[in-house]
């Protein structure tokens, strides 16, 4: 779309500034773009359903798109169309690496409420293996605000708390723009993320200031495309209907 806009802009500037034609005498066809067409896709029949150009990362059947973050097979439990963290099996990550993307992912904190704060229904979605979008049971549980569900962990508080009750399925829709680095490793542009939680905007083009750190301030390290990583924080959080579109 950016390309189309630039083409339109160049036509516009040539005809407006170049020739000095008054607007009311202009031909509207000079600012119409016909030869570049967006690819036609079929959207999902329902909100949250994968469109035809999505990469299906988890369809409820198997973990074939995932491996253990430590290497080897992902060992989370697949049952009833969901994958659930098996404590101690470790984080899992997609076999494929991604740059800019749209991600849809559904998650569920355990119905049986155990623990408090960061110990209750904790998992996380690490965008490009580094930038954590927090998954946590924040329905009725106190923790630091920049660590609750929907936060960019320890960086950005969600605009609202759109959590459903533990045991209910919830959705994140994520639009992520990867950071750009120069050849010598400097940040040209940081990462940006927009997140909808159960259809509600909770991060609006939020600037990510670096990789998520438990202690201290983040510092960017240059990297290329990377996986989506899901955190084993020891709680049996489940995921389903995970798909991604590269942008
Ligand atoms: Mg977490």
């Amino acid at each position: 779309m950016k390309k189309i806009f630039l083409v339109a802009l160049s036509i516009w500037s040539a005809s407006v500034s170049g020739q000095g034609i008054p607007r009311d005498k202009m031909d509207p066809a000079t600012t119409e773009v016909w030869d570049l067409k967006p690819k036609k896709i079929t959207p999902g029949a329902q909100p949250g359903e994968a469109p035809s150009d999505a990469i299906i990362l988890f369809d409820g059947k198997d973990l074939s798109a995932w491996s253990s973050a430590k290497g080897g097979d992902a060992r989370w439990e697949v049952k009833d169309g969901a994958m659930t963290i098996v404590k101690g099996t470790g984080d899992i990550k997609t076999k494929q690496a991604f740059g800019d993307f749209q991600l849809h992912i559904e998650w569920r904190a355990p119905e049986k409420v155990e623990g408090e704060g960061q110990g209750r229904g904790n998992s996380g979605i690490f965008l490009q293996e580094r930038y954590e979008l927090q998954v946590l049971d924040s329905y009725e549980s106190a923790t630091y605000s920049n660590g609750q569900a929907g936060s960019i962990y320890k960086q950005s508080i969600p605009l609202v708390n759109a959590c459903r009750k533990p045991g209910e399925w919830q959705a994140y829709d994520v639009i992520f723009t990867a950071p750009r680095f120069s050849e010598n490793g400097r940040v040209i542009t940081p990462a940006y993320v927009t997140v909808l939680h159960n259809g509600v905007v909770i991060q609006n083009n939020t600037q990510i200031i670096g990789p998520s750190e438990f202690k201290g301030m983040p510092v960017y390290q240059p990297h290329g495309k990377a996986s989506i990583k899901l955190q084993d924080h020891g709680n049996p959080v489940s995921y389903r209907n995970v798909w991604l579109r590269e942008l």
Side-chain angles (χ1 to χ4, degrees), residues 54-68:
I55 297 166
I56 307 298
L57 294 174
F58 181 65
D59 64 359
K61 296 189 186 95
D62 61 64
L63 296 174
S64 55
W66 302 81
S67 59
S68 166

Side-chain angles (χ1 to χ4, degrees), residues 2 10 22 34 36 54 61 67 80 122 125 138 174 186 199 211 216:
K2 203 180 278 174
S10 62
W34 286 80
L36 298 169
K61 296 189 186 95
S67 59
D80 300 332
N122 194 334
I125 301 155
S138 295
V174 181
R186 283 225 196 88

